Amino acid sequence: MARAATRSPAKGPGITAWLWAGGLVTMWGIVSPSSLLIISLGMLPALVAYFCDRTEQKYALFCVGGLNFSGVFPFLLKLSDDHSFSAAMNIMSNVFSLAIIFAAAGFGWMMFISIPPVVASFLTVLAEARVKTLKSIQKKIVDEWGNGVSTTDQGAAAVVPHMADDEDAD
Amino acid sequence: MAEQPLEADEVAGVVPPEMAEMFEPADAPAENAPQRSGAGGPVILKDRYMLDTATPLTEFDSPSAKAYMVEDRRDLGRKLFALICSPEIPTRLSTIRKQKEDESPGRLDLVDWDVIYWPPLGQRTMAVIYGRPLGGRVQNRLARKETKITEYDVPRKLAEPLASVLQNMAAKEAPHRAIRADNIFFLDEDMTEIAVGENVTSPPGFDQPTIYEPIERAMADPTGRGVGTTHDDIFALGVTIGILVLGHNPVAKIKDDDLILARLDQGSYTVIFGNSRIPLPLLEPLRGMLNDDPAARWDYNEISNWLTGQRTTAAKKKPIKKAELPFSFRGKEYVSPRALARHFSEKIPDAVKAASDDTFEVWLKRSLGAAEMASAVNSLIQNAKFHKDGYQGKDEFVVCNLCMILDPSGPIRYKSVAFMPDGFAPMIASEMLHNNQSQMVGEILSHDITSTWFNLQSPPFPGTSELRANFSTLKGFLSIKEIGYGLERALYEINPSLPCHSPLIAHDYVLLIEHVLPSLDAAAGHADTNQRPIDRHIAAFIAARFDQDIHPHLKALGSDARDTSIIGLLSLYAFLQWKLREQQVLGLASWVGGLLGPAINSYHNRITRGDIEKEIPRLVRKGSLPELFDLVDNAERRKDDRDGYAEARAEWLAAEEEVRDIEGAGDERITKAERAGQQAAAVLAIVITLTVVTLLLILQTW
């Protein structure tokens, strides 16, 4: 299933959606070109994560994008004091700003890489515990009912006449 | 063939050596007072009769049973004796029962009978108690000249009472078949009243010397002489009268074989009394009674006419069929086909060669004038050639049929036996149990040999339809191989007087179905309890004697599955104990209880098994097989076990499926776990983002 999910190409947005998106971005560029600049440059790691994650769920996008946005958001707030395009350019040309933005995105990548194995190990431990419980139940069943219970043989019981039958016959 | 009353040395071939001592000469001097032999002690029969093992009464011995003194503890003055039957020889149980119920004058009074432990034999056997005839044996008294029976006394003193009692017995019970000179007694000391002796301690005709038997039955083995008819009793009566009147057996010195050949050649009367001085008034009656043609032999009406002085028909002597020229076989020449048949049966390969030769057919046609016989022999030989690989082509089968063609009224002669069809029962008992000839008996039934014999009889043999039906039933049993059927079943079905011959209980002389469980109970003390307390003999005996339908029990018993088989055994014995209201059988319950492992293991639930195992000793101590059976094979418990097993199985399979689902997923499980991890990371990242955004907004606002 997972393989199928990864293999099947994600159906891209339609032309209408692209037109809407283009319209909105144009509007956004007209209304607030500074924030558009910060977002478009700052959220590049998220865009990379979107393209790298071929799964349908796009967990990498959520993970990297989320923390990437956390890194971008303080600089968006700075634009509330000076909403000019040059202020946005100053922010985005500042190494320190870029370091914060990409470090946050990197932290997102790190989470995306490091958490799954931990969770997988945890789930494996849980599964093993369940298997142990089930096998213990099976052993109890075999102890009570014999090995025959664990085979396909139905273990036909002896068919013998009953005196009750004879009594009825009388 | 042992034709005389069994002598000790003859007995050796019939009964085991330890019992041979029972068969000493029957006739001892009448004045023999009871002699204490000092063997064993008293044995009580039915809490009333005390049988003294140390006091044999040899003067009352029968050829197959020794006589001992008996004391009636309720009537000490009563003179009795007991005949101790040989455990190896079938008795006539139905006749015993009838004689006990019916006090018929003219025969020894059968007082009582039972199966008892007899110390000299070291085993149980049947004892029959008779009132003692005070006058002793007629033959002995005549020999000692203490009395005399002249030809004028014969009708009143001898023939009338004997004929009367024989006719009465034949009507009420069965033909006597043991009428002979030494089996006639004086009931009183004055020797005025005579009575016939016992006829129940051996099969019909078994104890008879050959001269007392009509020629066709005389040629049969003692065990196969058959129940016979009144004609056979009349023949024996004629011989008895002749011998008592003469005072001796005129052919005592002639060998049986020579005597039979002579009788075949010249006729019985001529051979036995032809050279004796038979009184004139007895000539015609003896000729009539000794006529070799049963149809022309005197019957009781003729005897009655003679006794009352009425006119009697002269004995019609049927000419004996003889050839003009003799046929030579193994150096001897024969003119009678019956004599030839007798010798053919003794030399089987030579007989086949002789019969296959054209000269034999020519002899039958031209010299004997029997074209039909020749044609039948020719067909037989051709049939044998055609079926040379089948049983029809075997020499024994061919000679058997050849003898039937040559001597249709003679006995059936197959391999080493010669028997009349109505004597089949004791014959197979003897052959199966003492001569180990089960296969031969099986062949007689499966090859329908008796059917061929019946077809050749003209006029039909008495009771043919009943006998045919019996043989058909026996053949049916033979065709089923399972325990409870087969040859053993045939043996006990056709021999209602035969005790069970299973090695487990043979020493207990188990004659009645009621004795089976007590005997097995006793056997538990000395038998190998690792073996099952049943075998083919016991199963067949129960099937033959028990009047209930035990087919389902036998089917279970015969199962290849050990658990079903042992439960079948238990169910059979439990059914017996329940139906027969038997007392507790502690030993047998313990024996069977020890073998129930497979039956207990047939339960799936181990807790149930444990419970049953715990409960068995308690029920064994009660000696109740029905309760033991109910414990081991309770229907409700079985159902619970089956249902519980099905549920447990479903539960086990569900767990197994889940385990396989968990374990067997492999890469898929890892992928799933990773996906879950990624999801968790994404959720965590969103949460962090929302928290950071919220905090920053709050800080900005302040």
Side-chain angles (χ1 to χ4, degrees), chain A residues 15-38:
Chain A
I15 190 156
T16 317
W18 281 113
L19 284 173
W20 271 104
L24 281 173
V25 169
T26 309
M27 285 295 292
W28 188 4
I30 294 165
V31 175
S32 177
S34 54
S35 62
L36 181 63
L37 178 71
I38 288 173

Side-chain angles (χ1 to χ4, degrees), chain A residues 1-3 5-6 53 55 57-71 73-75 77-78 80-81 107-108 111-113 115-117 119-121 123-128 130-132 134-135 137-139 141-164 166-168 170, chain B residues 548-549 552-554 556 563-565 567-568 571 574-576 578-579 602-607 609 625-627 629-630 633-635 638 640-646 648-659 662-663 668-686 688-690 692-694 696-697 700:
Chain A
M1 234 167 77
R3 290 181 70 183
T6 49
D53 187 0
T55 64
Q57 294 81 7
K58 300 287 182 193
Y59 291 130
L61 173 66
F62 286 107
C63 202
V64 175
L67 287 174
N68 191 186
F69 186 71
S70 299
F73 191 68
F75 301 104
L77 286 178
K78 270 192 177 177
S80 61
D81 299 335
F107 185 68
M111 273 178 66
F112 185 74
I113 291 163
I115 286 179
V119 171
S121 300
L123 289 179
T124 302
V125 169
L126 281 183
E128 279 172 0
R130 177 66 181 155
V131 167
K132 206 172 171 185
L134 289 170
K135 287 200 169 170
I137 290 169
Q138 282 185 317
K139 187 174 178 298
I141 292 170
V142 170
D143 285 346
E144 189 178 343
W145 293 95
N147 289 326
V149 84
S150 62
T151 62
T152 49
D153 178 23
Q154 285 297 313
V159 180
V160 291
H162 284 267
M163 279 188 289
D166 297 312
E167 198 171 21
D168 294 343
D170 291 345
Chain B
Q548 303 286 328
D549 176 22
H553 303 265
L554 292 176
D563 55 337
T564 311
S565 180
I567 290 175
S571 76
F575 189 45
L576 269 178
W578 177 56
K579 276 284 177 188
S602 68
Y603 280 96
H604 299 106
N605 192 301
R606 291 181 176 175
I607 296 167
R609 288 184 199 176
L625 296 177
E627 285 185 57
F629 174 70
D630 185 52
D633 203 51
N634 181 287
R638 280 260 177 230
D640 289 348
D641 186 66
R642 270 197 302 273
D643 294 348
Y645 180 75
R649 193 174 160 70
E651 196 180 343
W652 190 92
L653 284 174
E656 181 68 7
E657 202 174 341
E658 194 175 338
V659 168
I662 293 168
E663 285 181 340
E668 191 182 340
R669 185 171 60 88
I670 293 165
T671 309
K672 270 185 186 173
E674 280 180 358
R675 188 80 63 226
Q678 288 170 352
Q679 190 176 10
V683 169
L684 189 62
I686 298 295
I688 290 170
T689 305
L690 290 175
V692 168
V693 168
T694 308
L696 287 173
L697 280 175
Q700 179 71 23

Side-chain angles (χ1 to χ4, degrees), chain B residues 405-684:
Chain B
I405 294 167
L406 295 176
D407 181 12
S409 61
I412 294 169
R413 301 162 174 112
Y414 183 70
K415 291 189 173 175
S416 59
V417 294
F419 65 97
M420 298 300 286
D422 56 349
F424 183 71
M427 187 280 288
I428 69 162
S430 169
E431 293 303 317
M432 281 180 67
L433 303 174
H434 308 313
N435 300 337
N436 204 18
Q437 293 282 3
S438 301
Q439 193 187 339
M440 181 190 66
V441 174
E443 286 169 8
I444 291 170
L445 286 172
S446 61
H447 298 170
D448 266 339
I449 288 173
T450 51
S451 186
T452 313
W453 189 88
F454 286 125
N455 292 340
L456 290 167
Q457 299 309 302
S458 177
F461 188 72
T464 295
S465 55
E466 195 184 336
L467 285 167
R468 273 185 193 274
N470 283 346
F471 281 114
S472 172
T473 308
L474 297 183
K475 195 178 171 186
F477 287 133
L478 189 67
S479 64
I480 306 171
K481 304 294 176 204
E482 276 94 47
I483 189 168
Y485 298 91
L487 214 46
E488 292 84 0
R489 177 70 176 275
L491 174 70
Y492 292 110
E493 284 285 350
I494 202 170
N495 279 292
S497 305
L498 192 70
C500 182
H501 273 72
S502 161
L504 287 170
I505 54 174
H507 275 58
D508 281 345
Y509 201 87
V510 175
L511 194 62
L512 307 173
I513 187 70
E514 291 83 1
H515 296 161
V516 173
L517 291 186
S519 289
L520 284 169
D521 193 39
H526 54 78
D528 176 8
T529 50
N530 290 322
Q531 302 298 317
R532 292 182 177 201
I534 198 161
D535 56 21
R536 291 188 68 87
H537 272 281
I538 294 177
F541 183 84
I542 293 171
R545 301 285 185 271
F546 198 31
D547 58 0
Q548 303 286 328
D549 176 22
I550 58 164
H551 177 73
H553 303 265
L554 292 176
K555 200 175 171 190
L557 180 62
S559 168
D560 290 335
R562 288 179 66 210
D563 55 337
T564 311
S565 180
I566 192 69
I567 290 175
L569 165 72
L570 177 59
S571 76
L572 177 63
Y573 285 166
F575 189 45
L576 269 178
Q577 191 181 16
W578 177 56
K579 276 284 177 188
L580 299 174
R581 308 278 188 269
E582 293 282 355
Q583 297 299 310
Q584 57 181 15
V585 282
L586 296 169
L588 183 59
S590 171
W591 189 352
V592 176
L595 298 170
L596 288 175
I600 296 169
N601 290 340
S602 68
Y603 280 96
H604 299 106
N605 192 301
R606 291 181 176 175
I607 296 167
T608 309
R609 288 184 199 176
D611 291 346
I612 292 172
E613 277 167 1
K614 273 185 208 158
E615 190 69 3
I616 282 177
R618 188 180 69 80
L619 295 179
V620 163
R621 282 194 293 276
K622 283 176 81 177
S624 169
L625 296 177
E627 285 185 57
L628 199 57
F629 174 70
D630 185 52
L631 172 73
V632 174
D633 203 51
N634 181 287
E636 201 176 325
R637 190 180 286 123
R638 280 260 177 230
K639 186 179 178 304
D640 289 348
D641 186 66
R642 270 197 302 273
D643 294 348
Y645 180 75
E647 278 176 30
R649 193 174 160 70
E651 196 180 343
W652 190 92
L653 284 174
E656 181 68 7
E657 202 174 341
E658 194 175 338
V659 168
R660 279 185 193 170
D661 198 32
I662 293 168
E663 285 181 340
D667 292 343
E668 191 182 340
R669 185 171 60 88
I670 293 165
T671 309
K672 270 185 186 173
E674 280 180 358
R675 188 80 63 226
Q678 288 170 352
Q679 190 176 10
V683 169
L684 189 62

Side-chain angles (χ1 to χ4, degrees), chain B residues 360-415:
Chain B
F360 183 64
E361 195 181 341
V362 172
W363 179 76
L364 287 173
K365 267 184 194 166
R366 296 191 185 161
S367 196
L368 194 63
E372 276 186 26
M373 203 179 268
S375 165
V377 170
N378 188 34
S379 300
L380 177 70
I381 299 296
Q382 294 307 320
N383 190 47
K385 281 178 184 166
F386 185 74
H387 295 104
K388 67 178 178 187
D389 294 329
Y391 70 86
Q392 299 98 324
K394 292 262 167 63
D395 285 358
E396 291 85 356
F397 184 81
V398 172
V399 170
C400 177
N401 282 277
L402 182 63
C403 293
M404 287 187 210
I405 294 167
L406 295 176
D407 181 12
S409 61
I412 294 169
R413 301 162 174 112
Y414 183 70
K415 291 189 173 175

